[in-house]
Amino acid sequence: MSAPIAGVLSSLERVLLDRDTIQRRVADLAKQIEEDFAGRELFVLALMDGAIFFVADLLRHINLPVKLYTLSVSSYHGETSSSGRVQMLQGLPASLKGQNVLLIDDILDTGLTLGTVHDRILEECQPQSLRVAVLLSKDRQRVREAPTHYVGFEIADEFVVGYGMDYKGHYRNLPCIGILNQAHI
Ligand code: 5GP
Ligand code: MG
């Protein structure tokens, strides 16, 4: 492993999911999605910035025609728990109208983010179908119900970083997912 990543890794108290475990599961999810959407064009809406690594790896395993759209959404505002306010920084792409849509996020936590975007897609885009994929689902009570059709891993209710997920903008580039040392929070 290269020295710079090893340096960032030392900020972790422990690794929850290592690189190979994540990559294997992402490939499994891709196969499942490919089967479910067989014969259709997939319109992917990925929530930024957290889902950036997940969506990049997932889509490269999917052998279907795919169009990728991104939407910048913020709810943590630099803290380690949800602020309860979901901010959509743009409107939904008009091209999703009437399509087979796959909504992708990194983590299902309170459910506010996915629930809000999911319901807006239904109302504004009248998609032919709408499915939701998340890499992680936290074991906690949801504030808002959000359907999930593809879940990579169920995890405990802890704040995680890595593989696209940040703390104050840091740690997204870790190839694994882990829990930060208290000293770094
Ligand atoms: P929700 O709206 O379900 O509470 O939270 C979803 C969003 O909060 C995710 O898209 C993600 O950006 C952020 N989030 C939730 N839990 C974590 C976490 O443990 N670590 C990080 N870095 N972000 C999280
Ligand atoms: Mg997010």
Side-chain angles (χ1 to χ4, degrees):
M1 186 174 292
S2 66
I5 290 284
V8 185
L9 268 176
S10 68
S11 313
L12 295 184
E13 184 185 290
R14 72 200 143 87
V15 172
L16 209 57
L17 299 163
D18 65 30
R19 181 206 296 252
D20 289 351
T21 306
I22 297 170
Q23 293 299 331
R24 271 197 305 271
R25 183 67 185 135
V26 170
D28 285 351
L29 288 178
K31 278 289 142 272
Q32 218 181 313
I33 292 167
E34 195 180 290
E35 283 173 24
D36 293 352
F37 285 86
R40 289 181 278 175
E41 185 171 22
L42 192 51
F43 283 66
V44 173
L45 181 67
L47 301 187
M48 294 291 110
D49 299 320
I52 191 164
F53 286 41
F54 177 40
V55 74
D57 284 343
L58 184 79
L59 295 191
R60 279 181 286 184
H61 286 290
I62 296 182
N63 186 19
L64 288 176
V66 167
K67 281 195 172 165
L68 172 62
Y69 302 87
T70 60
L71 185 72
S72 292
V73 178
S74 165
S75 65
Y76 267 46
H77 308 290
E79 302 306 320
T80 58
S81 63
S82 175
S83 68
R85 286 175 295 120
V86 178
Q87 226 183 333
M88 272 175 59
L89 306 179
Q90 312 128 254
L92 292 171
S95 319
L96 298 183
K97 260 198 190 330
Q99 301 297 342
N100 295 293
V101 177
L102 179 65
L103 172 61
I104 300 187
D105 201 5
D106 50 359
I107 308 191
L108 177 66
D109 183 18
T110 64
L112 281 168
T113 305
L114 274 172
T116 303
V117 180
H118 176 272
D119 291 357
R120 280 192 61 172
I121 294 174
L122 280 186
E123 282 161 29
E124 293 178 27
C125 307
Q126 296 92 35
Q128 190 164 346
S129 64
L130 175 57
R131 292 195 157 221
V132 177
V134 289
L135 181 65
L136 307 176
S137 173
K138 278 194 193 171
D139 180 15
R140 59 159 289 163
Q141 185 140 27
R142 309 280 177 232
V143 174
R144 180 167 177 162
E145 280 312 311
T148 47
H149 305 90
Y150 308 100
V151 176
F153 304 93
E154 307 273 354
I155 63 165
D157 186 10
E158 292 179 291
F159 186 78
V160 297
V161 295
Y163 195 65
M165 288 162 279
D166 74 314
Y167 175 60
K168 297 191 173 176
H170 296 283
Y171 311 109
R172 290 197 200 272
N173 60 324
L174 289 177
C176 60
I177 293 171
I179 311 294
L180 269 184
N181 261 322
Q182 279 307 310
H184 290 87
I185 295 185

